[in-house]
Amino acid sequence: MTSVQRRARVRAPELVGRGWLNTGGEQVRLADLRGKIALLDFWTFCCINCLHVLDELRPLEAEFSDVLVTVGVHSPKFVHEADPAALAAAVERYEVHHPVLDDPELTTWQAYAVKAWPTLVLVDPEGYVVHVAAGEGHVDALRQIVSELVAEHGAKGTLHRGDGPFVPPPPPETELRFPAKAVLTPGGTLLVSDSAHHGLVELAADGETVLRRIGTGERGRADGERPSFSEPAGIALLPAEVAERVGYHAVVADTVNHLLRGVDLDTGEVTTVAGTGEQWRGGDTDGPAGEIDLTSPWDVAWWEPANGVAVAMAGNHTLGLFDPVAGTVVRLAGTTVEGLNDGPAQEAFFAQTSGLAADGDRLWLVDSETSALRWLDADRVVHTAVGRGLFHFGHRDGLADDALLQHPLGVTALPDGSVAIADTYNGALRRYDPATDEVSTLASGIAEPSDAVLVDGELVVVASAAHRLERPVAPGVAATLVAGDAHEVKRPPSDIGTGELELSVIFTPPAGTKLDERYGPSTRLEITSSPPELLVGGAGVGTDLTRVLRVAEGVTGGVLHVVAQAASCTDDPSVEHPVCRLTRQDWGVPVRVAAGGPNRLPLLMGGMDEG
């Protein structure tokens, strides 16, 4: 029996939201998709895992272009993501080439009982849900199921080939398109990562005059004198003596290629210096730089105490360290669990670190998903200055314990020991002063600031969604204090009871594969909680995908952090070297605790949702 036939037929709920993008202004209903295979991608544009899935789906969409219609269902986490203009910008920024439903109230999210970003739902040509999977790494299974559906419904006469409802918007023309990061070169120019143009641009000190472009402007990973990139972001300049030894001056985080690239600023020549081009999905993190998989490196900074380039590995919530002289990559900090946890570097939790700034013994960083400003000290201990966790954000100044940010992407060390924060989803430039432990607002009304750089004592801000560099802080103007509101994620919490709670991660290997147990257990489950006192038993790491937890009495709610992975391989004994795949998903599950509440919590990672 195939995976498509495992469950009773369940009619797909209607697609309901505020409006549609990439449809030429037309509304799309499920009835309009009858005869097509529909793939619903529940995503939010802040989520790095969702961005990974967008890229994973591109070849599948191309392969089945006449029968498969992908529909992005955008169900936002942050307040800013519910802004229709911000969503339209994100759809362009990430080159989303399929219809997108704007679902700001999570109406369709709840109708499909979704619990995690990203979640994928397949609907057959007759309008029935046939497959559900959460997380990344499901393309092989989807390809097999879509092929089965094509054969089945082609034979029945219920499959209609032809174009879908996607209508591409007109291409915009600007010098920069969603620039991400910038650095000041030794020559006094500005080197900017021009993310949506897939290249680098060198600007004069005025921040406007284009001096040269590095990159073809097309997605790719070619080295040499005509290099190509894929959504590059962070740029780090190497110390002169290091640059002389290695033959390049700057390291670029080539985010979607999962690579670090070296750039010779004299010639514009580019070389790949770290990464394989494959996304890390488990396995080694330490070793020769060209043999270690990276995962969405978002920013880079030379950090003297470590004598190397710190790498914000947004894709697995860790920090890496690249040594350009030795040609190695190692794990600098983090466990891959997404969250906010301080302490020794190898035990700390991060959440999509997206901005780095070195200032002496401190490596400042911003964690976008916990809206946090943090730092790593020379003793390899992690501290948090601002931030409360995955589901709390806002725009509030004052003492750091009370201050709130919203998905910051950049941080800049200032000469007086303070730092400027590119508070991206608040459209603001903020300042944190360690001497007073206070946060203030330097400027607001900036279109998604993602970085800032000091030029002759003046802050030049990368206004990413405005596609330019700006100088929003007037000389001599004092910072202001904003008494803004606190916000929490709209996503409804799961109700659980006190005492024993059975948490189970449901994973069904794709048809034609089986769990790979040749070298021991093929599954892994790691569970922690915020606050830690939410659980009095069951936290930690194990190999079973079902775990009995003990929920404390007297705690009204919190977040369960769950990381699950499963390795599956081709189920064919005649194949000497089977094709294997690691499926992984991180959940931050908000829970509400009440006596007499449910004592089971199922989470779907892959396979059929048996209800």
Side-chain angles (χ1 to χ4, degrees):
M1 183 175 293
T2 70
S3 60
V4 175
Q5 299 169 315
R6 287 178 188 159
R7 59 175 291 162
R9 286 157 65 84
V10 176
R11 179 71 68 178
E14 187 55 83
L15 303 174
V16 179
R18 178 169 54 190
W20 287 85
L21 294 87
N22 285 351
T23 64
E26 297 296 320
Q27 182 177 355
V28 177
R29 301 181 63 83
L30 279 176
D32 302 323
L33 303 179
R34 196 63 54 83
K36 298 286 189 183
I37 301 162
L39 174 59
L40 309 183
D41 175 16
F42 288 86
W43 71 300
T44 185
F45 65 77
C46 72
C47 162
I48 190 67
N49 311 92
C50 300
L51 302 185
H52 290 165
V53 167
L54 286 177
D55 289 306
E56 288 178 354
L57 292 180
R58 295 185 201 279
L60 188 75
E61 292 174 281
E63 182 179 349
F64 296 99
S65 60
D66 63 338
V67 293
L68 178 69
V69 175
T70 301
V71 174
V73 182
H74 187 267
S75 307
K77 170 182 175 180
F78 289 100
V79 169
H80 176 71
E81 293 176 295
D83 180 341
L87 174 57
V91 167
E92 181 200 334
R93 179 196 296 263
Y94 299 117
E95 298 181 9
V96 180
H97 292 164
H98 53 246
V100 175
L101 172 65
D102 183 6
D103 181 28
E105 300 299 325
L106 278 66
T107 304
T108 298
W109 164 288
Q110 294 183 67
Y112 280 83
V114 175
K115 285 187 168 64
W117 294 285
T119 291
L120 299 167
V121 178
L122 266 177
V123 179
D124 74 12
E126 295 178 297
Y128 292 94
V129 173
V130 293
H131 187 79
V132 182
E136 308 174 40
H138 298 294
V139 170
D140 291 340
L142 290 172
R143 179 176 287 106
Q144 181 163 343
I145 296 169
V146 170
S147 298
E148 293 173 2
L149 289 171
V150 169
E152 177 186 344
H153 289 273
K156 290 172 63 177
T158 51
L159 183 71
H160 301 162
R161 296 181 180 272
D163 293 335
F166 171 62
V167 178
E173 294 293 338
T174 54
E175 289 284 9
L176 302 176
R177 205 70 195 163
F178 298 106
K181 305 286 183 180
V183 295
L184 184 67
T185 72
T189 61
L190 288 160
L191 188 63
V192 181
S193 54
D194 193 7
S195 179
H197 285 154
H198 308 297
L200 309 178
V201 177
E202 187 175 7
L203 303 175
D206 62 8
E208 297 179 1
T209 304
V210 175
L211 302 178
R212 64 170 167 169
R213 295 182 180 274
I214 300 174
T216 63
E218 300 294 329
R219 281 188 191 268
R221 50 170 294 185
D223 286 337
E225 296 178 356
R226 283 186 51 78
S228 53
F229 301 84
S230 187
E231 297 180 32
I235 307 170
L237 297 178
L238 299 178
E241 64 276 12
V242 175
E244 186 174 356
R245 291 184 66 180
V246 300
Y248 53 89
H249 305 92
V251 173
V252 176
D254 194 5
T255 306
V256 175
N257 277 329
H258 310 294
L259 297 173
L260 299 183
R261 318 290 292 280
V263 182
D264 184 326
L265 295 181
D266 295 332
T267 65
E269 190 168 349
V270 172
T271 54
T272 296
V273 297
T276 64
E278 296 296 321
Q279 181 188 339
W280 180 90
R281 295 190 183 279
D284 293 337
T285 59
D286 299 2
E291 299 175 12
I292 299 298
D293 295 340
L294 309 181
T295 174
S296 296
W298 205 281
D299 202 5
V300 282
W302 178 266
W303 191 37
E304 194 64 38
N307 197 38
V309 177
V311 184
M313 215 76 74
N316 66 0
H317 318 297
T318 65
L319 302 180
L321 182 70
F322 167 56
D323 184 335
V325 175
T328 58
V329 171
V330 297
R331 174 78 56 81
L332 177 62
T335 66
T336 77
V337 174
E338 183 181 23
L340 186 68
N341 186 48
D342 291 340
Q346 298 301 321
E347 300 174 12
F349 298 169
F350 299 92
Q352 208 168 301
T353 304
S354 302
L356 300 171
D359 187 17
D361 286 346
R362 287 191 178 189
L363 178 67
W364 290 100
L365 58 103
V366 283
D367 272 355
S368 58
E369 283 298 281
T370 51
S371 299
L373 171 68
R374 309 173 75 186
W375 79 90
L376 176 65
D377 65 29
D379 294 326
R380 308 290 174 92
V381 177
V382 178
H383 311 263
T384 296
V386 181
R388 299 185 182 180
L390 285 166
F391 300 98
H392 299 273
F393 58 91
H395 187 164
R396 178 187 292 164
D397 290 326
L399 288 175
D401 281 348
D402 296 323
L404 294 168
L405 309 170
Q406 185 181 181
H407 197 80
L409 291 179
V411 60
T412 305
L414 302 178
D416 64 358
S418 67
V419 294
I421 306 160
D423 192 8
T424 309
Y425 286 4
N426 280 325
L429 188 66
R430 313 282 290 281
R431 176 176 179 264
Y432 170 68
D433 186 351
T436 62
D437 197 35
E438 290 184 328
V439 177
S440 56
T441 297
L442 296 173
S444 57
I446 310 167
E448 294 191 6
S450 56
D451 198 16
V453 60
L454 275 171
V455 180
D456 295 328
E458 187 177 12
L459 279 167
V460 176
V461 177
V462 179
S464 187
H467 318 295
R468 62 176 181 257
L469 305 188
E470 298 179 351
R471 288 172 165 83
V473 184
V477 175
T480 60
L481 296 178
V482 174
D485 293 331
H487 299 284
E488 294 188 17
V489 176
K490 288 182 178 181
R491 178 177 158 192
S494 297
D495 289 324
I496 61 173
T498 56
E500 290 193 353
L501 172 71
E502 183 183 271
L503 186 146
S504 56
V505 175
I506 301 167
F507 175 75
T508 302
T513 71
K514 65 177 181 179
L515 291 174
D516 179 21
E517 298 179 340
R518 292 172 296 166
Y519 308 107
S522 58
T523 55
R524 182 180 186 274
L525 181 64
E526 182 170 356
I527 301 174
T528 57
S529 67
S530 299
E533 54 268 23
L534 173 64
L535 295 180
V536 294
V541 179
T543 57
D544 291 334
L545 292 182
T546 297
R547 179 91 55 85
V548 175
L549 310 177
R550 289 199 60 81
V551 180
E553 296 183 6
V555 179
T556 58
V559 179
L560 293 176
H561 304 283
V562 182
V563 181
Q565 61 186 44
S568 54
C569 297
T570 304
D571 186 13
D572 185 347
S574 66
V575 177
E576 183 178 357
H577 300 290
V579 176
C580 298
R581 189 75 172 177
L582 181 71
T583 303
R584 175 189 169 96
Q585 171 65 359
D586 299 6
W587 288 270
V589 183
V591 294
R592 181 169 49 206
V593 182
N599 60 4
R600 293 185 66 251
L601 180 61
L603 299 173
L604 179 69
M605 182 166 69
M608 299 306 303
D609 183 0
E610 301 293 349

